[in-house]
Amino acid sequence: MAFTAPPPKPVSPGLYLVATPIGNLRDITLRALDVLEAADLVLAEDTRVTARLLNAYGLRAKLARYDEHVAATVEGRVLEALAEGRVIAQASDAGTPLISDPGQSLARAAAEAGFPVHPIPGASSVLAALSIAGLPTERFLFTGFLPPKAGARRTRLAELAATPATLVLFETGPRLKASLADMAQVFGGDRPAAVCRELTKLHEQSVRGPLEDLANDPRLDAPKGEIVVVIGPGRAEVASADDADAALRQALDRLSPADAASEVARQLGLNRRDLYRRAIAMKGGQ
C-alpha cells in the first residue's frame, strides 16, 4: 500500500510536549517522530522506556531524566537551551505528557519566559478508555488516581458522587477490588461502569457492568498492568430524609458524628449542620 502523507516540515526551536504510545509502539504519530528526530534534547520520566521507543524507530536523540525529583535542576538548563534556540522535547513514558505526569512547571516556565510551547498530540489512555466504555462522552471529568487509603478514598468518592459527568480515573491492580467495592457503596451498586486494562497491548481487556458486579467479578481479582476505570454520570437529586438517615447510619459505622455528617453532606448535597445534629441523635439512641 502506498502512502501519500504530507512531507515533514522543519522543526522550529521551542518546547514540544510529545505524546507517546500507551502500549502498541505503532501508535506513535509521524509528527512525533519528526520532533524526536530533530530534538537537541529529549526529556523523559524514565529514560529506559523512552530509549526503547527511540531505538524502535532508529532515533538517537540525547536523553535526560525529568521527574519531580530533578525538576528544579533540569528546568533551569532547559530554559537556557531554549534561549539558545534549541529544540527540546518532553516525552511521556506512555500517553500524553502532563496528564498525571510531571512537567506542568516546565511548560509554565517556558511559556512565561516567552518561548514557544507546542503540543504533539497522540495516544491517551483516558480518551481510549472513554471511547470504548459505552458511557456518555459529551461531558467527562478526569480525576487521576484515587487516594490509596480507604478512608480518604471514600471521602474523595463522596465528593464526586453527584458529578453530572462521566468519571475517568486511574487505579492500580492491587487496589482495584477495594476501590470498586468503595465505588459501589458510595455511588450505588447499580451505577454503570467499565474497567479497561492494558489498552492497545496484547492482553487488552474491557469489562463493563454495574459497579457491584464489577466489584465481584473474578476477572478483576488480580489484574496487572495499567488500569482505567470509567463510571457513568451521577444524578444531582434532592435526597429524602430517609436517604440521609440511611447514609448517616452507614457512615457512623466507621466515622465520628462530625466526620459522618461531613461525608454525607458532600455525598448528598445536604446541610452539614442539620446532618450533624441528626448523627448525634442517632449515636445517643444506640
Side-chain angles (χ1 to χ4, degrees):
M1 180 183 295
F3 295 97
T4 56
K9 294 181 179 180
V11 179
S12 58
L15 175 64
Y16 292 81
L17 306 178
V18 182
T20 57
I22 58 176
N24 191 318
L25 289 183
R26 291 186 64 84
D27 287 339
I28 192 73
T29 70
L30 296 177
R31 189 168 173 230
L33 293 176
D34 293 341
V35 170
L36 293 173
E37 183 177 31
D40 296 296
L41 178 66
V42 176
L43 304 175
E45 188 174 4
D46 187 332
T47 57
R48 297 166 299 180
V49 173
T50 303
R52 286 196 291 270
L53 172 66
L54 296 177
N55 290 337
Y57 288 95
L59 302 178
R60 296 293 181 266
K62 180 180 179 181
L63 281 165
R65 174 187 168 199
Y66 179 81
D67 57 28
E68 62 272 16
H69 302 295
V70 299
T73 302
V74 172
E75 287 175 11
R77 290 166 36 206
V78 170
L79 293 177
E80 290 176 2
L82 291 172
E84 295 170 356
R86 307 293 186 184
V87 174
I88 308 297
Q90 181 184 346
S92 170
D93 285 355
T96 301
L98 278 64
I99 308 300
S100 280
D101 280 334
Q104 292 180 7
S105 60
L106 176 59
R108 181 171 57 250
E112 289 176 349
F115 300 117
V117 179
H118 304 286
I120 307 298
S124 166
S125 61
V126 173
L127 297 180
L130 188 64
S131 69
I132 63 172
L135 295 167
T137 58
E138 62 272 11
R139 181 188 294 182
F140 67 91
L141 173 66
F142 171 62
T143 188
F145 282 95
L146 292 173
K149 293 186 177 180
R153 182 169 59 238
R154 286 191 285 262
T155 297
R156 174 75 61 80
L157 290 171
E159 294 170 351
L160 297 168
T163 302
T166 295
L167 301 175
V168 186
L169 55 90
F170 294 154
E171 192 50 279
T172 67
R175 294 201 303 258
L176 179 63
K177 293 292 281 189
S179 288
L180 289 171
D182 287 342
M183 292 175 201
Q185 179 184 27
V186 175
F187 293 161
D190 61 344
R191 191 151 161 182
V195 176
C196 304
R197 186 182 68 86
E198 292 289 82
L199 291 173
T200 79
K201 299 180 183 180
L202 179 63
H203 300 292
E204 178 178 293
Q205 180 187 48
S206 297
V207 184
R208 304 170 184 83
L211 280 169
E212 187 170 357
D213 290 356
L214 294 177
N216 295 294
D217 194 314
R219 291 174 293 177
L220 302 176
D221 281 348
K224 296 180 180 179
E226 301 294 328
I227 299 168
V228 185
V229 182
V230 187
I231 307 154
R235 296 188 299 271
E237 298 177 348
V238 178
S240 67
D242 289 343
D243 292 334
D245 283 354
L248 277 175
R249 289 190 188 94
Q250 286 188 347
L252 285 169
D253 287 340
R254 51 188 170 78
L255 299 172
S256 69
D259 290 340
S262 296
E263 178 176 302
V264 175
R266 288 190 296 265
Q267 182 179 345
L268 301 182
L270 299 175
N271 183 277
R272 180 192 175 282
R273 184 175 300 177
D274 293 340
L275 290 168
Y276 178 64
R277 286 197 292 263
R278 183 63 183 145
I280 291 294
M282 287 181 175
K283 276 289 188 182
Q286 290 180 353

